């Protein structure tokens, strides 16, 4: 059997669709969650640690140019330098130790050479890693994910505003219920999505700098007069993280799990939206734009598939599967530490990648559909039995005995085919003439409650919650 030759990595040879088929849709995540980004962030944390040690006089006072140099190491780390770190890792079989050795070499030949031995002083790898992973998650979310979600929410808000008074039939259990408006149904999703996005924006991640088993043993032993607890808190806060002093070797993952579960809620809202729009397209309530040259089926020339919503739904499921695994796996660590979390947490970018693909797909899908107002109107007026909720409520107000059962007997399982039949049914009721007159005023188009007003209120709430107005 011939052994295939190794393939050069391209979009066609990549193992996962994130870096293959969908590479163009996820490329903006690479500066934040790639292996290269992780290495750069680790170097950033190591550099700032040296500066922090200088500030408490554990090492000599650093000059402003020296601090500037250290602060530039992480952001300016080249891909070539990162590749050197990976080659060192082949020897060490330890990624953070490889980074530390490379970091020491960066100090060599500079005015910082005499502080080289203080690099990574008293730390364990997890002191660097826990901060780094949380920073890449936070930065990717703030710089890539939230802007995409907010842009999509903006589009929903625009649709809701446009159709806030467009009546349509609502369906519960898949069956005709009572009228609503198209804008109200759209703004329901916009409101849910915006609330969860704002929660994601405010999620507080933690950080720890507590040593090998969480007690700052090495630092306390070497400099017992330093308040290392205060130092740890201040250092973690300098990254915008909340200090966690109660740890083992690892920083417990509950904060990240909460972050991931926020993503799961967002993704479930969008799965709900994907499936609803898919159904509306299937029922011809929404129509899709057919683009010249595109094909909907290899055998049926007429088809225009709701592929963007299907693609979104599938990728949201993939993302949630990873987020859910994180939520189950990461909080569990044998004794003070085991490394099973280390290989799992590297997939942050994978979960974010599938999510981003889905967000872009649903946005593309939304841009290519429009409400079929004629069909929506036809279905709204197809069966006036949807007015019996209002009818029995008005009769109840007027003291008619058991009007619910009356309406059940007249309409359940049947249909009222239009206004003429509705009026005929009302005229046959044994009620007062003024009560009949009130019931005859009911129409599917007008029986929408506060749908338009509630849509406007939801839009205003979304706008007021945002840093920039929709």
């Amino acid at each position: 059997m011939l052994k295939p030759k190794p393939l050069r990595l391209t979009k066609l040879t990549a193992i996962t669709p994130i870096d293959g088929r969908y590479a163009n849709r996820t490329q903006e995540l690479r500066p934040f969650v790639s292996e290269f980004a992780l290495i750069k962030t680790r170097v950033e944390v190591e550099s700032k640690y040296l500066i922090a040690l200088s500030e408490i006089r554990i090492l000599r006072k650093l000059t402003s140019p020296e601090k500037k140099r250290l602060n530039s190491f992480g952001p300016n780390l080249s891909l070539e330098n990162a590749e050197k770190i990976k080659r060192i890792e082949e020897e060490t079989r330890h990624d953070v130790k490889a980074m530390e050795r490379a970091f020491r070499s960066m100090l060599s030949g500079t005015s910082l050479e005499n502080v080289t031995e203080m690099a990574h002083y008293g730390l364990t790898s997890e002191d660097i890693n826990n901060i780094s992973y949380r920073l890449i998650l936070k930065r990717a979310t703030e710089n890539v994910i939230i802007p995409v979600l907010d842009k999509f929410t903006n589009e929903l808000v625009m649709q809701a505003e446009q159709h806030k008074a467009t009546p349509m039939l609502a369906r519960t259990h898949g069956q005709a219920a009572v009228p609503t408006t198209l804008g109200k149904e759209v703004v329901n999703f916009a409101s849910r999505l915006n609330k969860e996005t704002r929660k994601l924006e405010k999620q507080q991640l933690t950080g720890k700098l507590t040593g090998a088993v969480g007690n700052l043993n090495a630092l306390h032993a070497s400099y017992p007069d330093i308040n290392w607890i205060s130092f740890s808190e201040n250092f973690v806060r300098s990254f915008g993280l909340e200090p966690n002093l109660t740890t083992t070797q690892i920083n417990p993952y509950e904060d990240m799990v909460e972050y991931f579960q926020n993503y799961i809620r967002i993704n479930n809202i969008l799965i709900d939206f994907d499936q609803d729009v898919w159904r509306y397209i299937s029922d011809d309530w929404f129509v899709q734009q057919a683009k010249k040259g595109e094909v909907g089926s290899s055998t049926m020339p007429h088809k225009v598939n709701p592929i963007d919503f299907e693609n979104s739904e599938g990728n949201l499921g993939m993302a949630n599967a990873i987020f859910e695994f994180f939520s189950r796996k990461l909080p569990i660590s044998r004794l003070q530490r085991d490394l099973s979390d280390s290989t799992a947490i590297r997939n942050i970018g994978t979960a974010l990648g599938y999510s981003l693909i889905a967000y872009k797909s649903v946005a593309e899908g939304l841009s290519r559909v429009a409400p079929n107002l004629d069909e929506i109107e036809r279905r709204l007026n197809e069966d006036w039995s949807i007015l019996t909720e209002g009818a029995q409520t008005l009769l109840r107000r007027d003291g008619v005995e058991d009007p619910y059962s009356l309406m059940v007997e007249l309409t359940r399982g049947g249909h009222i085919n239009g206004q003429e039949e509705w009026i005929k049914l009302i005229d046959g009721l044994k009620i007062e003439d003024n009560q009949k007159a009130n019931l005859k005023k009911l129409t599917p188009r007008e029986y929408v409650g506060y749908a338009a007003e509630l849509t406007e209120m939801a839009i205003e709430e979304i706008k007021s919650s945002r840093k920039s107005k929709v």
Side-chain angles (χ1 to χ4, degrees):
M1 189 178 204
L2 293 175
K3 185 177 181 181
K5 293 181 179 179
L7 294 173
R8 180 173 57 88
L9 180 62
T10 69
K11 289 203 294 185
L12 291 177
T13 62
I15 292 174
T16 74
I18 291 175
D19 293 314
R21 181 179 183 87
Y22 302 121
N24 291 341
R25 292 193 181 192
T26 58
Q27 58 186 347
E28 60 262 56
L29 279 173
R30 293 176 197 162
F32 297 100
V33 295
S34 61
E35 181 81 359
F36 180 37
L38 176 60
I39 291 171
K40 292 177 69 172
T41 309
R42 285 169 172 162
V43 171
E44 174 189 347
V45 177
E46 286 283 6
S47 299
K48 290 182 177 179
Y49 181 64
L50 270 186
I51 294 172
L53 291 179
S54 171
E55 289 173 352
I56 61 169
R57 301 295 186 263
I58 294 302
L59 56 80
R60 66 170 175 80
K61 184 177 181 180
L62 300 177
T63 65
S64 293
E66 287 174 329
K67 290 179 183 179
K68 185 176 180 181
R69 178 189 287 270
L70 282 169
N71 281 321
S72 72
F73 280 168
N76 295 338
L77 188 76
S78 68
L79 190 58
E80 291 73 21
N81 284 334
E83 288 169 346
K84 290 178 183 177
I85 293 173
K86 294 303 291 183
R87 288 195 290 272
I88 298 171
E89 186 184 339
E90 291 175 6
E91 176 187 345
T92 62
R93 292 198 68 195
H94 195 292
D95 51 358
V96 175
K97 195 64 179 178
M99 179 277 302
E100 180 196 339
R101 289 185 180 179
F103 181 70
R104 288 167 175 261
S105 71
M106 295 177 197
L107 303 178
S108 180
T110 74
S111 63
L112 293 163
E113 189 169 14
N114 61 358
V115 301
T116 298
E117 286 306 315
M118 297 303 290
H120 203 71
Y121 184 81
L123 302 184
T124 184
S125 300
E126 191 56 21
D127 289 322
I128 302 300
N129 268 342
N130 88 97
I131 293 174
S132 297
Y133 275 115
R134 284 163 172 82
L135 287 178
I136 66 175
L137 174 60
K138 186 172 185 286
R139 290 167 178 175
T141 298
E142 291 175 349
N143 290 280
V144 178
I145 300 296
I146 288 178
V148 171
L149 288 172
D150 280 345
K151 184 178 179 181
F152 179 68
T153 303
N154 291 351
E155 294 300 319
L156 293 178
V157 166
M158 289 174 61
Q159 293 282 345
E161 181 70 40
Q162 182 179 354
H163 294 290
K164 63 185 177 183
T166 302
M168 67 177 282
L169 176 64
R171 290 180 288 188
T172 59
H173 310 281
Q175 307 300 307
V178 296
T180 181
T181 68
L182 177 55
K184 173 57 168 43
E185 298 314 299
V186 171
V187 88
N188 288 341
F189 286 103
S191 177
R192 293 168 64 192
L193 185 58
N194 183 69
K195 286 174 182 176
E196 289 301 327
T197 304
R198 302 284 72 79
K199 289 177 185 176
L200 185 64
E201 194 172 49
K202 296 174 183 176
Q203 285 281 4
Q204 181 62 60
L205 291 169
T206 67
K208 82 102 182 177
L209 192 88
T210 55
V213 294
N215 301 325
L216 297 150
N217 304 46
L219 293 174
H220 178 261
S222 56
Y223 289 93
D225 294 334
I226 297 291
N227 185 342
W228 289 107
I229 291 176
S230 178
F231 173 88
S232 173
E233 291 178 314
N234 292 335
F235 184 71
V236 169
R237 284 198 181 97
S238 72
F239 294 98
L241 304 175
E242 185 67 24
N244 186 8
L245 294 171
T246 309
T247 76
T248 59
Q249 185 176 106
I250 67 171
N251 183 10
Y253 282 100
E254 281 73 25
D255 61 319
M256 295 186 80
V257 167
E258 188 172 358
Y259 214 94
F260 298 144
Q261 289 172 340
N262 203 150
Y263 267 105
I264 290 171
R265 294 194 300 274
I266 287 170
N267 291 352
N268 281 338
I269 291 167
L270 290 174
I271 289 173
D272 196 17
F273 180 79
D274 288 330
Q275 292 183 353
D276 276 13
V277 175
W278 189 97
R279 178 64 188 268
Y280 289 138
I281 292 170
S282 177
D283 291 341
D284 202 30
W285 291 22
F286 284 7
V287 292
Q288 299 179 95
Q289 176 186 359
K291 286 194 175 182
K292 188 175 180 179
E294 291 187 356
V295 174
S297 168
S298 62
T299 185
M300 294 172 281
H302 66 284
K303 290 186 70 183
V304 182
N305 293 333
I307 189 170
D308 291 309
F309 300 103
E310 294 168 335
N311 178 284
S312 173
E313 181 181 345
N315 282 293
L316 290 167
M318 288 296 298
N320 278 2
I322 298 170
F323 285 134
E324 287 165 3
F325 173 70
F326 285 160
S327 301
R328 295 192 308 271
K329 165 65 202 135
L330 294 178
I332 301 169
S333 181
R334 297 171 185 88
L335 303 180
Q336 282 67 49
R337 164 99 234 233
D338 76 69
L339 272 177
S340 58
D341 66 313
S342 178
T343 191
I345 198 64
R346 290 180 183 276
N347 288 280
I348 285 176
T350 309
L352 295 183
Y354 281 121
S355 296
L356 184 59
I357 293 165
Y359 303 158
K360 290 185 176 182
S361 291
V362 69
E364 175 68 16
L366 183 64
S367 73
R368 296 176 63 170
V369 298
N372 183 351
L373 298 179
D374 290 339
E375 179 63 14
I376 290 173
E377 175 80 11
R378 186 187 73 80
R379 292 299 299 274
L380 177 68
N381 287 282
E382 187 175 47
D383 181 5
W384 281 45
S385 65
I386 60 176
L387 297 174
T388 56
E389 178 205 48
Q392 66 93 9
T393 305
L394 290 176
L395 294 177
R396 183 176 294 177
R397 178 199 65 186
D398 293 342
V400 175
E401 183 178 354
D402 196 10
Y404 181 89
S405 295
L406 176 63
M407 289 294 155
V408 166
E409 184 177 343
L410 290 172
T411 64
R412 191 167 191 265
H415 296 281
I416 301 174
N417 299 312
Q419 188 172 25
E420 184 177 338
E421 192 171 321
W422 172 249
I423 291 173
K424 183 179 178 180
L425 181 146
I426 292 170
D427 283 336
L429 295 176
K430 294 178 180 180
I431 57 177
E432 301 294 331
D433 287 344
N434 67 316
Q435 294 169 341
K436 291 180 180 181
N438 287 333
L439 297 188
K440 289 178 182 180
K441 293 177 184 177
L442 293 173
T443 69
R445 173 167 280 278
E446 299 297 327
Y447 187 63
V448 294
Y450 291 102
E453 293 88 344
L454 290 169
T455 302
E456 291 173 349
M457 289 171 62
I459 290 171
E460 183 56 37
E461 183 181 351
I462 291 168
K463 290 180 177 181
S464 65
S465 73
R466 300 275 286 274
K467 294 177 181 177
S468 58
K469 299 297 183 183
V470 176

